[in-house]
Amino acid sequence: MNMPSRPDLFPPTTSTFQKYDLTPAQLDLVWDMNRKLSRREFDQFIETSRALGLNPFRRQICAFVLNEQSSKKRQFVIVTTIAGLRAIADRTGTYRPDSRAARMTFSEEAKNPRSNPHGIVDCIVTPFRFAKGRWHRIMGQVWWDEIAPIRHRDDGETYLDTRTPWPARPRGQIIKCAEAAALRAGWPDDLANVYSEDELDRARVSDLTPSEVADEAKKSRLLERMQPRGTILIDMWDGDGLSAVPISAFHDRVSEFIRSYNDKKLGELLTWRDQQRIAFRQFFVHDKNAGLDLKRQFEAIETAASKQPVEMANGN
């Protein structure tokens, strides 16, 4: 006998979560899994799990301690996994998963072998919410440079935080973040201020207290004024100090600077190159081929300078 199918006009029946009580043995197991928590933090974690109807054993909710080695910066955080967010939205009876694959934008210019191997720019996921008699798409969009846990080295190099899953599966992580953003936008009463574990990865990178984060934001705004995005700071020895040169024009500017030096000042030119080594490293990350071309130009200069007397190479 064929069962009648429910038309898409009607949402599924709302399902309330089943409250559960962990047995003493289960509590002891969860306690063993979260030994970094204090007793009070562990009690708060279990009570929050019960209040949200999420099960720690199903990896629907997790607890983390940030900066555990510092008593001043130590921070206890409870986050849900993407499975927990879906479970909460599904209970409302108005949730339906996205019928399409996640949409990602890629860019060759955004590629970096260590901090963005696929050149991802952004990601969009659109689950459905039932409202006013029909299903509506809810868009969740996140940007790579805002959500990925990118760390910075002193020499300007960037890389994905190896303490997170992002280096192993960057596309999967940003998709989950985009879906989490959509779920919070579509179900604000149920998921306001509830964040997924993948979104927390960005916070782990900073290791800062809230006041320090505010200070860093102010510094970032000042740096943005000094060095707009898509530029590299370099001293062109023109008397103006550091200049923000667009990455697209960096190769031509440096090549022109090299040509402006005559054969009597090759030593000075090599000194300038050594002083700007951080700028050249940053450019190499963005454009390897153009960076190699500049390297070949300087290698030719080194060869020519080695054949000159020391006084002549220094411009004397």
Side-chain angles (χ1 to χ4, degrees):
M1 179 177 180
N2 295 328
M3 297 295 293
S5 60
R6 179 172 52 209
D8 282 348
L9 177 63
F10 301 101
T13 305
T14 302
S15 60
T16 58
F17 66 85
Q18 294 182 350
K19 293 185 178 180
Y20 64 90
D21 284 314
L22 298 176
T23 66
Q26 290 174 328
L27 281 172
D28 185 52
L29 180 57
V30 177
W31 184 225
D32 283 339
M33 296 163 56
N34 295 274
R35 281 298 175 185
K36 295 179 181 179
L37 306 184
S38 67
R39 299 183 67 86
R40 184 175 181 82
E41 289 169 345
F42 179 72
D43 291 342
Q44 182 181 347
F45 172 52
I46 295 301
E47 290 303 321
T48 301
S49 301
R50 289 170 175 166
L52 294 174
L54 299 177
N55 193 332
F57 285 111
R58 294 182 180 177
R59 289 284 298 170
Q60 293 178 336
I61 189 168
C62 306
F64 295 95
V65 176
L66 305 180
N67 309 308
E68 60 179 307
Q69 304 300 329
S70 173
S71 59
K72 294 182 179 180
K73 296 181 179 181
R74 190 180 190 278
Q75 186 178 6
F76 167 58
V77 182
I78 298 175
V79 297
T80 59
T81 64
I82 193 65
L85 295 179
R86 291 169 185 157
I88 294 174
D90 187 56
R91 290 184 205 129
T92 66
T94 60
Y95 164 74
R96 199 176 82 190
D98 196 350
S99 58
R100 296 187 292 171
R103 279 75 75 197
M104 283 183 279
T105 304
F106 299 90
S107 169
E108 287 295 324
E109 294 182 359
K111 275 189 176 181
N112 182 302
R114 300 195 64 193
S115 62
N116 192 352
H118 300 294
I120 301 173
V121 177
D122 71 327
C123 179
I124 295 176
V125 175
T126 53
F128 294 87
R129 170 159 188 168
F130 191 88
K132 298 181 180 180
R134 61 189 295 265
W135 290 99
H136 302 267
R137 284 189 178 275
I138 306 297
M139 187 176 80
Q141 181 177 25
V142 293
W143 300 85
W144 180 269
D145 59 355
E146 295 177 355
I147 200 70
I150 299 174
R151 300 182 73 88
H152 298 263
R153 293 195 332 202
D154 294 338
D155 61 2
E157 295 263 352
T158 57
Y159 62 97
L160 289 170
D161 190 352
T162 55
R163 298 172 297 179
T164 72
W166 286 77
R169 52 188 314 273
R171 287 171 293 194
Q173 295 302 108
I174 196 171
I175 288 173
K176 288 195 287 185
C177 290
E179 184 179 359
L183 292 173
R184 279 199 307 278
W187 291 264
D189 291 340
D190 305 280
L191 296 172
N193 298 320
V194 178
Y195 292 87
S196 71
E197 179 183 0
D198 312 288
E199 294 171 299
L200 183 67
D201 290 331
R202 180 79 175 197
R204 286 177 178 150
V205 173
S206 63
D207 291 338
L208 300 176
T209 62
S211 60
E212 289 172 329
V213 171
D215 291 338
E216 287 298 313
K218 185 180 295 183
K219 291 179 184 177
S220 296
R221 288 194 297 270
L222 293 174
L223 288 174
E224 181 69 21
R225 295 175 189 171
M226 181 178 176
Q227 181 184 4
R229 288 191 178 187
T231 64
I232 293 177
L233 291 179
I234 188 170
D235 187 353
M236 301 302 296
W237 277 10
D238 53 6
D240 294 332
L242 292 173
S243 301
V245 178
I247 295 173
S248 59
F250 189 88
H251 176 271
D252 293 341
R253 285 285 299 276
V254 173
S255 297
E256 181 182 353
F257 183 81
I258 292 173
R259 290 192 295 270
S260 69
Y261 268 73
N262 58 47
D263 293 341
K264 294 183 178 180
K265 296 183 179 181
L266 298 182
E268 290 184 11
L269 190 56
L270 295 176
T271 299
W272 174 80
R273 176 203 61 182
D274 294 339
Q275 291 178 357
Q276 314 305 319
R277 60 187 181 278
I278 293 179
F280 287 121
R281 288 174 184 169
Q282 291 176 344
F283 179 64
F284 187 83
V285 170
H286 289 283
D287 193 334
K288 183 177 180 179
N289 291 331
L292 288 173
D293 180 70
L294 293 178
K295 182 181 179 182
R296 285 190 290 268
Q297 292 186 51
F298 282 116
E299 287 174 345
I301 293 170
E302 286 179 336
T303 301
S306 66
K307 297 178 181 180
Q308 294 179 345
V310 175
E311 295 80 3
M312 185 176 180
N314 291 329
N316 298 325

